[in-house]
Amino acid sequence: MKKIFKPMILMFMLMAAFMSCNNEELFIEDVVEEVVDDTTGEDTEEEETDDTSNEDTSIDATLPCDFDLSDVTAGDTVVINCVMDLDGATVNLPSNVTILYEGGDIVNGTLNFSDNTTIDGNLLNSTITLTGSSPALKDPIFDFIPERWGIVEGKVSSDVAQRNNNILEDMMITLKEFGVNTLKIGEMDAYFEVSKVTSTSN
Protein backbone atom coordinates (compact mmCIF):
# COMPACT_ATOMS: atom_id res chain seq x y z
CA MET A 1 0.00 0.00 0.00
CA LYS A 2 2.90 2.31 0.77
CA LYS A 3 4.41 1.68 -2.61
CA ILE A 4 1.19 2.69 -4.45
CA PHE A 5 0.61 5.71 -2.22
CA LYS A 6 3.88 7.44 -3.02
CA PRO A 7 3.48 7.35 -6.80
CA MET A 8 -0.13 8.56 -6.40
CA ILE A 9 0.97 11.54 -4.35
CA LEU A 10 3.66 12.30 -6.88
CA MET A 11 1.16 12.06 -9.72
CA PHE A 12 -1.32 14.22 -7.84
CA MET A 13 1.29 16.93 -7.29
CA LEU A 14 2.30 16.91 -10.94
CA MET A 15 -1.32 17.21 -12.04
CA ALA A 16 -1.89 20.10 -9.62
CA ALA A 17 1.17 21.89 -10.89
CA PHE A 18 0.17 21.30 -14.51
CA MET A 19 -3.37 22.52 -13.92
CA SER A 20 -2.22 25.63 -12.08
CA CYS A 21 0.01 26.58 -15.04
CA ASN A 22 -2.78 26.02 -17.54
CA ASN A 23 -5.27 28.07 -15.54
CA GLU A 24 -3.12 31.21 -15.85
CA GLU A 25 -4.32 33.47 -18.63
CA LEU A 26 -1.64 34.95 -20.79
CA PHE A 27 -2.31 38.54 -21.90
CA ILE A 28 -0.29 39.95 -24.76
CA GLU A 29 -0.82 43.63 -25.24
CA ASP A 30 -0.84 44.96 -28.75
CA VAL A 31 1.91 47.52 -29.22
CA VAL A 32 0.48 50.67 -30.75
CA GLU A 33 2.99 53.05 -32.24
CA GLU A 34 1.82 56.63 -31.97
CA VAL A 35 3.21 59.01 -34.55
CA VAL A 36 3.58 62.54 -33.24
CA ASP A 37 3.54 65.30 -35.88
CA ASP A 38 5.88 68.05 -34.68
CA THR A 39 5.34 70.25 -37.71
CA THR A 40 3.05 73.20 -37.27
CA GLY A 41 1.48 75.65 -39.65
CA GLU A 42 4.27 78.13 -38.89
CA ASP A 43 6.99 75.70 -40.01
CA THR A 44 5.17 75.08 -43.26
CA GLU A 45 4.92 78.80 -43.88
CA GLU A 46 8.64 79.15 -43.17
CA GLU A 47 9.50 76.40 -45.63
CA GLU A 48 7.34 78.04 -48.28
CA THR A 49 9.00 81.39 -47.60
CA ASP A 50 12.44 79.82 -47.79
CA ASP A 51 11.59 78.25 -51.16
CA THR A 52 10.61 81.62 -52.60
CA SER A 53 13.72 83.30 -51.17
CA ASN A 54 15.90 80.90 -53.18
CA GLU A 55 14.47 82.25 -56.42
CA ASP A 56 16.87 84.19 -58.64
CA THR A 57 16.45 87.84 -57.68
CA SER A 58 19.54 89.13 -59.50
CA ILE A 59 19.19 92.32 -61.49
CA ASP A 60 19.91 92.35 -65.22
CA ALA A 61 22.52 95.10 -65.54
CA THR A 62 22.06 95.24 -69.33
CA LEU A 63 18.55 96.70 -69.06
CA PRO A 64 18.01 100.48 -69.40
CA CYS A 65 17.81 102.46 -66.16
CA ASP A 66 14.37 103.59 -65.01
CA PHE A 67 15.84 106.76 -63.43
CA ASP A 68 18.22 109.51 -64.49
CA LEU A 69 20.89 111.62 -62.82
CA SER A 70 18.97 114.89 -63.13
CA ASP A 71 17.09 114.05 -59.91
CA VAL A 72 20.28 113.59 -57.85
CA THR A 73 20.68 115.98 -54.92
CA ALA A 74 23.75 116.91 -52.85
CA GLY A 75 24.96 114.06 -50.65
CA ASP A 76 23.16 111.30 -52.59
CA THR A 77 24.64 107.91 -53.36
CA VAL A 78 23.60 106.53 -56.75
CA VAL A 79 23.96 102.83 -57.57
CA ILE A 80 24.35 102.04 -61.27
CA ASN A 81 23.06 98.51 -61.90
CA CYS A 82 21.57 99.23 -65.33
CA VAL A 83 22.57 100.99 -68.56
CA MET A 84 22.15 104.77 -68.42
CA ASP A 85 22.34 106.29 -71.89
CA LEU A 86 22.76 110.06 -71.58
CA ASP A 87 21.88 110.52 -75.29
CA GLY A 88 24.64 113.10 -75.73
CA ALA A 89 23.38 115.28 -72.88
CA THR A 90 25.44 116.93 -70.14
CA VAL A 91 24.42 116.10 -66.57
CA ASN A 92 25.43 118.58 -63.87
CA LEU A 93 26.02 116.74 -60.61
CA PRO A 94 25.76 118.53 -57.24
CA SER A 95 28.48 118.29 -54.60
CA ASN A 96 29.13 115.31 -52.32
CA VAL A 97 27.58 112.78 -54.70
CA THR A 98 28.86 109.19 -54.82
CA ILE A 99 28.22 107.05 -57.90
CA LEU A 100 28.72 103.33 -57.34
CA TYR A 101 29.07 100.51 -59.86
CA GLU A 102 26.97 97.34 -59.58
CA GLY A 103 27.33 95.90 -63.07
CA GLY A 104 25.73 98.74 -65.02
CA ASP A 105 27.11 101.48 -67.24
CA ILE A 106 26.84 105.19 -68.01
CA VAL A 107 27.33 105.90 -71.72
CA ASN A 108 27.11 108.55 -74.44
CA GLY A 109 27.28 111.91 -72.67
CA THR A 110 29.04 114.26 -70.27
CA LEU A 111 29.16 114.24 -66.49
CA ASN A 112 29.91 117.69 -65.05
CA PHE A 113 31.16 117.17 -61.49
CA SER A 114 30.97 119.51 -58.51
CA ASP A 115 33.29 119.39 -55.48
CA ASN A 116 33.75 116.29 -53.29
CA THR A 117 32.24 113.88 -55.79
CA THR A 118 33.23 110.20 -55.98
CA ILE A 119 32.74 107.82 -58.88
CA ASP A 120 33.56 104.14 -59.22
CA GLY A 121 36.32 103.68 -61.80
CA ASN A 122 34.44 100.72 -63.32
CA LEU A 123 31.98 103.25 -64.79
CA LEU A 124 34.63 105.14 -66.77
CA ASN A 125 34.73 104.47 -70.50
CA SER A 126 35.46 106.15 -73.82
CA THR A 127 31.83 107.25 -74.44
CA ILE A 128 31.53 109.62 -71.48
CA THR A 129 33.32 112.91 -70.93
CA LEU A 130 34.11 114.13 -67.42
CA THR A 131 34.15 117.89 -66.82
CA GLY A 132 34.07 120.25 -63.85
CA SER A 133 35.91 119.35 -60.65
CA SER A 134 37.96 116.19 -60.88
CA PRO A 135 36.06 113.50 -58.98
CA ALA A 136 37.79 111.10 -56.64
CA LEU A 137 37.78 107.49 -57.76
CA LYS A 138 36.37 105.01 -55.27
CA ASP A 139 39.48 102.86 -55.61
CA PRO A 140 42.97 104.18 -56.55
CA ILE A 141 43.63 100.85 -58.32
CA PHE A 142 42.17 100.91 -61.83
CA ASP A 143 41.41 97.82 -63.93
CA PHE A 144 41.81 98.65 -67.61
CA ILE A 145 39.32 96.85 -69.88
CA PRO A 146 40.35 97.53 -73.52
CA GLU A 147 36.88 97.23 -75.11
CA ARG A 148 35.44 99.88 -72.76
CA TRP A 149 37.94 102.40 -74.08
CA GLY A 150 37.72 101.69 -77.80
CA ILE A 151 41.02 99.84 -78.10
CA VAL A 152 40.99 97.79 -81.30
CA GLU A 153 42.69 94.45 -80.76
CA GLY A 154 44.36 92.26 -83.36
CA LYS A 155 46.49 93.23 -86.35
CA VAL A 156 45.54 96.74 -87.46
CA SER A 157 46.75 99.55 -89.70
CA SER A 158 49.28 102.14 -88.55
CA ASP A 159 46.47 104.71 -88.10
CA VAL A 160 44.42 102.40 -85.86
CA ALA A 161 47.55 101.49 -83.89
CA GLN A 162 48.19 105.23 -83.41
CA ARG A 163 44.59 105.68 -82.23
CA ASN A 164 45.12 102.84 -79.72
CA ASN A 165 48.24 104.65 -78.54
CA ASN A 166 46.36 107.97 -78.14
CA ILE A 167 43.53 106.31 -76.21
CA LEU A 168 45.95 104.68 -73.76
CA GLU A 169 47.95 107.88 -73.25
CA ASP A 170 44.86 110.07 -72.73
CA MET A 171 43.38 107.56 -70.32
CA MET A 172 46.60 107.46 -68.26
CA ILE A 173 46.68 111.26 -68.00
CA THR A 174 43.02 111.35 -66.90
CA LEU A 175 43.50 108.58 -64.33
CA LYS A 176 46.51 110.39 -62.85
CA GLU A 177 44.33 113.48 -62.35
CA PHE A 178 41.80 111.27 -60.51
CA GLY A 179 44.45 110.03 -58.10
CA VAL A 180 44.90 106.54 -59.52
CA ASN A 181 48.22 105.12 -58.36
CA THR A 182 47.98 101.62 -59.89
CA LEU A 183 46.88 100.71 -63.41
CA LYS A 184 46.18 97.03 -63.99
CA ILE A 185 46.20 95.85 -67.60
CA GLY A 186 45.24 92.22 -68.12
CA GLU A 187 45.46 90.19 -71.29
CA MET A 188 45.37 92.40 -74.37
CA ASP A 189 46.25 91.62 -78.00
CA ALA A 190 46.57 95.11 -79.47
CA TYR A 191 49.05 97.01 -81.61
CA PHE A 192 50.36 100.47 -80.63
CA GLU A 193 52.23 102.88 -82.90
CA VAL A 194 55.55 103.72 -81.26
CA SER A 195 57.48 105.11 -84.22
CA LYS A 196 55.66 108.48 -84.22
CA VAL A 197 56.41 111.30 -81.78
CA THR A 198 53.57 112.01 -79.32
CA SER A 199 53.16 114.22 -76.25
CA THR A 200 54.48 111.45 -74.01
CA SER A 201 57.35 110.29 -76.22
CA ASN A 202 59.92 112.58 -74.57
Side-chain angles (χ1 to χ4, degrees):
M1 186 79 175
K2 283 183 178 179
K3 290 182 181 178
I4 295 174
F5 185 72
K6 282 184 180 177
M8 296 247 330
I9 290 176
L10 184 59
M11 191 172 206
F12 179 76
M13 288 177 69
L14 282 171
M15 284 178 62
F18 181 75
M19 291 187 75
S20 68
C21 286
N22 282 342
N23 287 339
E24 290 180 9
E25 292 185 57
L26 296 176
F27 293 98
I28 300 174
E29 290 185 27
D30 292 334
V31 177
V32 178
E33 190 175 319
E34 185 177 345
V35 179
V36 178
D37 186 7
D38 287 337
T39 59
T40 62
E42 292 177 5
D43 291 339
T44 307
E45 287 175 14
E46 264 183 39
E47 287 174 9
E48 288 174 3
T49 306
D50 289 343
D51 288 343
T52 56
S53 65
N54 289 335
E55 291 177 8
D56 187 12
T57 56
S58 61
I59 295 171
D60 186 354
T62 62
L63 294 175
C65 295
D66 58 0
F67 64 94
D68 59 50
L69 295 175
S70 61
D71 299 329
V72 175
T73 58
D76 281 355
T77 296
V78 182
V79 175
I80 305 297
N81 56 7
C82 50
V83 176
M84 180 175 290
D85 190 341
L86 301 179
D87 290 323
T90 297
V91 177
N92 296 310
L93 294 168
S95 60
N96 299 312
V97 169
T98 300
I99 303 175
L100 300 178
Y101 169 81
E102 278 192 11
D105 219 344
I106 302 174
V107 295
N108 192 24
T110 301
L111 295 176
N112 187 30
F113 291 98
S114 296
D115 294 334
N116 301 319
T117 306
T118 302
I119 188 169
D120 194 313
N122 291 306
L123 291 167
L124 301 181
N125 63 74
S126 64
T127 69
I128 59 170
T129 304
L130 308 179
T131 59
S133 298
S134 291
L137 288 192
K138 184 173 173 278
D139 189 345
I141 299 172
F142 185 80
D143 286 313
F144 176 68
I145 301 170
E147 57 268 21
R148 290 181 59 78
W149 292 90
I151 296 286
V152 179
E153 297 191 59
K155 192 170 183 178
V156 293
S157 67
S158 177
D159 288 343
V160 174
Q162 181 61 52
R163 195 174 322 122
N164 283 347
N165 198 44
N166 295 343
I167 290 169
L168 197 59
E169 286 181 4
D170 292 345
M171 184 206 61
M172 287 179 180
I173 293 168
T174 301
L175 293 177
K176 186 177 179 183
E177 291 172 0
F178 291 163
V180 170
N181 55 29
T182 304
L183 175 63
K184 293 169 67 176
I185 300 177
E187 186 176 336
M188 179 170 56
D189 178 21
Y191 283 81
F192 297 88
E193 179 60 66
V194 293
S195 63
K196 297 179 183 177
V197 176
T198 65
S199 60
T200 58
S201 297
N202 301 333

